[in-house]
Amino acid sequence: MRAKEWVAMILAGGQGSRLGVLTDTLAKPAVPFGGKYRLIDFSLSNCSNSGIDTVGVLTQYRPLELHSYIGIGIPWDLDRNAGGVFILPPFGKTNGGEWYTGTANAIYQNAGFIDQYSPQYVLVLSGDHIYKMDYSLMLKFHKEAGADATIAANEVSWKETSRFGIMNTDPDGCIVEFEEKPREPKNNLASMGVYIFTWDVLKTYLQQDNQNRKSAHDFGKNVIPAMFKNGLKMMAYGFNGYWKDVGTIESLWEANMDLLSDAPELDLYDADWRIFSVNPTSPPHFVAPSGKVKRSLVSVGCLIFGEVENSVLFAGVEIEPGASVHDSVVMSGAKIGAGAYVEKAIIGPKAVIEENCQIGAVTAQHGSDAKISVVGQQVTIPANTIVPVGAIVDQLGVLLQASKGREKG
Amino acid sequence: MKNVLGIINLHENEELLKEMTRQRPLGAVPFGGRFRLIDFILSNMVNSGINAVGIVAKQQYRTLMDHLRSGKEWDLDRKRDGLFLLPSEHVHYSNSIYKGDLEHFHNQIDFFKKCSQDYVLIACSHIIYNLNFKEAYQSHLESRADITILYKEEQPRPGKSFSLATLVSVGDDGWVTDMEVKLGRITKGKIGLEAYIMSKELLLQIIEDCVARGEFDLTKEGIIKNIHRYKIRGFPFRGYMATINSIYDYYRASMELLNRDVRQELFNESGPIYTKVKDEAPANYREYAAVSNSLVANGCIIEGRVENSLLFRSVRVHKGAHIKNSIIMQKGEIGVNAALENVICDKDVTITDGKRLSGARNYVMVIEKGMVV
């Protein structure tokens, strides 16, 4: 097979358990975002825009929706004669095979895939982060520094440092200390989970890591510290743009709301760095004479007869007359019935909110700290139901985390 | 309908749409916020199960080829069959005069002979509707007709008229007795969809017979002149259709899309209408956006007022701008406090800050592609 300078490996097997009902039936990278995307669109589009034509996607948890979404990679221009996108789920072996036991183990098990292309470098990414990044600049940095490993780093708020791997560097960007989720950080430069490794070096370390029975086979916890301990040349590559790991319902909601500011940090309208996705076949959206839309993103096929403010509507959403949607994310094909009021909520794909329901917070009563309410995929909320602040309604129609009442809907 | 070859005949009368067809064939005229006219017939054919489509394209191919490319969006990038672009040869002879579509068909006769299908469906791009041709094809086979002509019976409706329409006379028994191409506007009658089903053998015969006699017009000389020679069946279509032969037609059909029933019939009835995707982000409504009774495509950023209008992909409406009863095509930019009423802006038009332009309801103003006003 023709050799490639580099190949990308996207870790897309995560469950995203803190996203609750939103990941009941799909892996975290397949979670919808921003009116038309799924989280994995960002890493796939970044690869495509950075000129990477060979991408392995490592899947494990509930992969069906993700697999059918990615297909042969047409939307990202990754249907290539030499290379392209490859779905790499765990597989059986003569000795029985095993699941991917950690991020490093997933790459280790697919070393054979990478070796097919004899690459000099391997780019390892997470499939569930929201950002626009030119990896080719990072590769250039890696090559110029003559590094063994380069880790992309983003300044996070000091409050959040304990969630991340924190790097302390010298003025040249050379990492002098690496702390995984420190309690008392010296720095707020966090690892973005974007790594470039020189493949020969990484392969050796993955083999060693695999022998180590005590290892969790994780890049941040095991492989990176091991490399660091052995004094390899490891660089931090500073990245200044918008970057978000949406691990929770709150952060997913926030990331959607981030798009609604007048000059959003994440520019989705840049024709030179498009975020590609599977595009639904629908006519443009329609705003009726009775419709009102303000500070919102609206996708194709929506029909808006009611009021929409500060919200993100995915394709084919219907807002009936008299319905009112505020500070919410309404996913594709959902319907908000006449007279319903929705505030600070995430409404899952194809959910139906029947007439005169009230979903979520009324800020006036609960203040801006009110919790986000979630209605799961394909859930129908019967007419006149009140879904309280912070409640989560799953596919069985059960209210979770509600202040009172069960078995509603 | 595997046994049917779809032929989209782009020899269409563009006289009354010159402002929009100077740089593109009629089939490539943008329509409905994100489509081009050819998307409708092409999607109908694909949704009917036709696997091979030949496009008889006269000149100005660039826009058309850029739009269709491999035919992937219509699922026509196939190893067997798929999409075939059939350019005209006569443009290569510097002193040749355009004679008619049959000359073009004759140039490409090898293609028709070579293809494996026994039947052809010849249709045009400027009449838009959503129809699965299966029933018409079945009826063609069962009635043992030589030719089946699809038509729509239109009742007079205020403001609606048809220019350059083909009027079909169909007897109670369903056989066609007469057909004519009307020169003026008509308001009612059985209006042909300019879609014909016949055997490939008959098409080849018509092409050869006509060209041998110095006749080059498929509809008038190939079919109408032979109306009593062939058994011609009429097949009624009952859904929504619009013929786009003039700026007025274009404007009216566009405005009809603001009607929910029309959209339902045109975009969903027997299958989706496919088009080239552009990967635009969702439309972005800002603080001062006020949009009512309008269709808005992805990629638009709206800060002004939009009423009874269509915005194509990536239109930018600045603060204080007011767009009323208008159509703004792709990448249009409407400046601060600009006002447009009854205007069609072709692609890439910039209306500078504070400009006020208006046409009349029955005579809309058209701003040509790429203009800065």
Side-chain angles (χ1 to χ4, degrees):
Chain A
M1 209 162 299
R2 206 197 306 170
K4 302 271 178 192
E5 185 182 23
W6 56 335
V7 299
M9 300 294 275
I10 302 181
L11 300 161
Q15 178 183 357
S17 52
R18 286 173 301 158
L19 286 168
V21 289
L22 296 173
T23 52
D24 269 354
T25 58
L26 44 82
K28 189 178 160 197
V31 166
F33 169 77
K36 71 175 291 198
Y37 308 100
R38 291 181 187 253
L39 296 180
I40 199 165
D41 286 329
F42 290 88
S43 34
L44 285 172
S45 302
N46 286 341
C47 283
S48 179
N49 287 325
S50 302
I52 302 175
D53 63 8
T54 306
V55 180
V57 180
L58 301 132
T59 63
Q60 177 154 290
Y61 173 80
R62 293 244 178 226
L64 175 63
E65 213 166 315
L66 192 57
H67 288 183
S68 49
Y69 185 72
I70 295 172
I72 59 166
I74 291 170
W76 308 273
D77 226 358
L78 286 171
D79 54 326
R80 297 297 179 83
N81 283 342
V85 73
F86 294 84
I87 305 268
L88 305 169
F91 48 92
K93 304 180 187 83
T94 42
N95 62 359
E98 55 177 344
W99 293 105
Y100 293 150
T101 53
T103 51
N105 177 261
I107 305 290
Y108 171 75
Q109 289 201 45
N110 288 287
F113 165 76
I114 299 171
D115 276 335
Q116 288 185 98
Y117 298 97
S118 328
Q120 287 165 275
Y121 309 101
V122 171
L123 170 69
V124 177
L125 307 168
S126 297
D128 46 16
H129 294 171
I130 301 166
Y131 63 118
K132 285 164 55 178
M133 180 174 178
D134 189 342
Y135 305 131
S136 69
L137 300 177
M138 182 171 164
L139 179 68
K140 193 168 165 245
F141 176 87
H142 178 83
K143 288 198 279 191
E144 281 171 5
D148 296 305
T150 299
I151 303 172
N154 188 260
E155 283 182 30
V156 296
S157 72
W158 286 92
K159 274 190 298 185
E160 286 187 300
T161 44
S162 62
R163 284 178 51 210
F164 297 99
I166 298 296
M167 289 172 279
N168 301 314
T169 62
D170 72 11
D172 297 332
C174 199
I175 302 171
V176 294
E177 194 181 1
F178 190 86
E179 299 173 287
E180 180 71 7
K181 299 183 180 164
R183 245 179 262 160
E184 287 172 15
K186 301 185 192 78
N187 199 334
N188 65 341
L189 208 54
S191 163
M192 295 163 60
V194 174
Y195 310 104
I196 289 178
F197 297 103
T198 301
W199 175 229
D200 291 342
V201 177
L202 176 65
K203 206 171 147 186
T204 313
Y205 276 83
L206 289 179
Q207 279 159 354
Q208 282 170 13
D209 178 70
N210 192 55
Q211 304 294 322
N212 181 356
R213 283 171 182 237
K214 284 185 203 151
S215 172
H217 308 301
D218 183 87
F219 275 104
K221 282 188 205 132
N222 311 102
V223 176
I224 300 286
M227 287 179 163
F228 189 72
K229 220 171 98 190
N230 286 349
L232 295 195
K233 181 150 194 191
M234 303 179 76
M235 302 296 290
Y237 174 76
F239 173 77
N240 293 320
Y242 184 91
W243 176 76
K244 201 144 193 168
D245 174 7
V246 286
T248 60
I249 284 171
E250 283 71 28
S251 61
L252 177 66
W253 178 83
E254 266 171 32
N256 277 287
M257 295 300 127
D258 286 346
L259 298 172
L260 303 177
S261 68
D262 267 353
E265 257 194 275
L266 182 74
D267 180 9
L268 296 173
Y269 299 84
D270 175 4
D272 294 330
W273 202 273
R274 278 194 205 285
I275 304 304
F276 304 109
S277 63
V278 174
N279 285 266
T281 304
S282 279
H285 70 262
F286 177 68
V287 184
S290 60
K292 258 190 202 161
V293 190
K294 241 184 178 187
R295 287 193 310 276
S296 293
L297 291 191
V298 183
S299 205
V300 291
C302 290
L303 298 174
I304 303 173
F305 293 86
E307 196 186 341
V308 178
E309 204 183 336
N310 226 37
S311 296
V312 174
L313 307 190
F314 284 69
V317 166
E318 196 168 341
I319 310 285
E320 290 192 345
S324 185
V325 177
H326 303 266
D327 305 329
S328 295
V329 178
V330 187
M331 294 182 181
S332 54
K335 191 169 173 178
I336 312 293
Y341 182 89
V342 178
E343 186 175 339
K344 213 169 175 184
I346 297 178
I347 309 294
K350 292 190 186 140
V352 178
I353 311 297
E354 291 185 350
E355 64 269 22
N356 301 321
C357 284
Q358 186 195 312
I359 314 288
V362 177
T363 313
Q365 287 168 24
H366 296 274
S368 58
D369 291 337
K371 280 204 154 179
I372 292 141
S373 314
V374 183
V375 175
Q377 187 170 349
Q378 289 182 319
V379 172
T380 298
I381 306 287
N384 305 312
T385 309
I386 294 177
V387 173
V389 178
I392 292 171
V393 187
D394 71 8
Q395 278 179 312
L396 301 168
V398 181
L399 272 181
L400 308 164
Q401 295 178 16
S403 46
K404 54 184 171 183
R406 280 183 72 83
E407 297 286 330
K408 275 200 183 173
Chain B
M1 290 187 75
K2 266 195 206 153
N3 202 18
V4 179
L5 168 72
I7 301 173
I8 301 179
N9 184 358
L10 295 184
H11 286 272
E12 301 175 282
N13 196 323
E14 293 162 358
E15 276 301 296
L16 301 173
L17 276 134
K18 269 200 200 115
E19 293 92 331
M20 288 190 203
T21 54
R22 227 184 283 285
Q23 299 174 31
R24 54 168 90 95
L26 186 48
V29 166
F31 184 78
R34 63 180 298 217
F35 305 93
R36 293 187 190 255
L37 290 178
I38 198 170
D39 292 340
F40 293 88
I41 185 62
L42 198 53
S43 302
N44 286 339
M45 285 180 171
V46 169
N47 289 336
S48 307
I50 291 177
N51 296 328
V53 178
I55 297 187
V56 182
K58 63 165 190 185
Q59 297 168 49
Q60 291 165 325
Y61 309 115
R62 189 188 58 78
T63 349
L64 193 69
M65 289 176 71
D66 177 43
H67 183 64
L68 300 171
R69 297 179 302 167
S70 66
K72 190 169 257 177
E73 272 94 349
W74 299 267
D75 211 12
L76 286 171
D77 55 330
R78 300 268 76 104
K79 279 199 167 173
R80 181 175 299 162
D81 296 328
L83 188 69
F84 301 90
L85 201 73
L86 309 171
S88 56
E89 306 265 315
H90 74 270
V91 292
H92 300 307
Y93 315 128
S94 57
N95 57 351
S96 79
I97 295 161
Y98 172 68
K99 293 182 192 139
D101 49 3
L102 281 182
E103 186 190 22
H104 191 164
F105 277 69
H106 187 247
N107 283 334
Q108 296 286 357
I109 205 152
D110 286 347
F111 168 77
F112 300 117
K113 282 183 177 162
K114 198 187 75 185
C115 72
S116 61
Q117 287 77 9
D118 294 319
Y119 291 88
V120 295
L121 163 65
I122 305 170
C124 62
S125 75
H126 72 275
I127 302 183
I128 53 171
Y129 50 96
N130 190 325
L131 170 66
N132 188 322
F133 292 109
K134 256 178 214 154
E135 243 185 275
Y137 176 55
Q138 278 307 322
S139 132
H140 177 79
L141 296 180
E142 280 159 19
S143 65
R144 297 177 177 276
D146 293 316
I147 301 174
T148 294
I149 294 178
L150 287 97
Y151 68 88
K152 164 84 192 288
E153 180 149 19
E154 289 281 354
Q155 306 301 334
R157 265 181 291 161
K160 184 139 184 169
S161 64
F162 302 88
S163 53
L164 303 165
T166 311
L167 205 59
V168 189
S169 307
V170 186
D172 292 337
D173 52 2
W175 295 97
V176 172
T177 53
D178 197 11
M179 198 166 120
E180 54 183 321
V181 178
K182 285 287 186 186
L183 293 176
R185 289 189 160 267
I186 53 172
T187 55
K188 63 178 167 55
K190 296 188 170 81
I191 293 165
L193 299 182
E194 297 175 39
Y196 312 109
I197 299 173
M198 64 182 89
S199 67
K200 186 173 82 176
E201 206 189 320
L202 180 59
L203 174 66
L204 293 174
Q205 189 191 323
I206 288 174
I207 295 171
E208 279 169 3
D209 282 2
C210 283
V211 172
R213 288 177 177 78
E215 296 170 339
F216 295 100
D217 191 304
L218 174 66
T219 306
K220 287 179 187 160
E221 291 163 331
I223 297 175
I224 297 178
K225 258 194 174 175
N226 291 312
I227 203 110
H228 299 298
R229 187 171 155 202
Y230 301 126
K231 280 163 51 188
I232 303 180
R233 185 106 189 135
F235 183 87
F237 165 64
R238 300 186 205 285
Y240 172 85
M241 73 95 157
T243 67
I244 315 275
N245 270 323
S246 66
I247 295 288
Y248 176 79
D249 291 343
Y250 177 87
Y251 180 71
R252 196 190 144 82
S254 297
M255 289 300 154
E256 275 180 338
L257 294 178
L258 299 178
N259 177 320
R260 190 175 189 168
D261 297 336
V262 168
R263 277 201 312 277
Q264 177 63 26
E265 283 193 48
L266 195 53
F267 293 120
N268 302 322
E269 198 58 34
S270 47
I273 304 301
Y274 306 99
T275 190
K276 182 181 174 184
V277 302
K278 293 270 163 75
D279 287 286
E280 298 289 355
N284 191 335
Y285 289 76
R286 297 273 166 89
E287 180 72 37
Y288 300 103
V291 176
S292 111
N293 198 34
S294 296
L295 277 178
V296 180
N298 273 358
C300 290
I301 299 179
I302 304 170
E303 295 179 278
R305 278 175 71 191
V306 181
E307 248 179 286
N308 312 326
S309 295
L310 278 83
L311 305 188
F312 282 64
R313 289 185 277 209
S314 295
V315 167
R316 183 82 207 251
V317 183
H318 288 275
K319 275 188 193 139
H322 186 184
I323 299 170
K324 194 176 170 188
N325 306 332
S326 294
I327 298 166
I328 317 294
M329 290 189 200
Q330 204 177 312
K331 290 188 187 156
E333 181 149 4
I334 313 302
V336 176
N337 294 328
L340 301 179
E341 187 172 352
N342 303 325
V343 173
I344 298 175
C345 292
D346 205 318
K347 284 170 78 172
D348 302 310
V349 164
T350 303
I351 306 293
T352 51
D353 294 355
K355 278 279 171 322
R356 293 177 171 271
L357 299 172
S358 66
R361 208 55 191 171
N362 61 353
Y363 193 88
V364 291
M365 178 187 281
V366 180
I367 314 222
E368 287 190 43
K369 187 173 171 179
M371 297 296 283
V372 177
V373 183

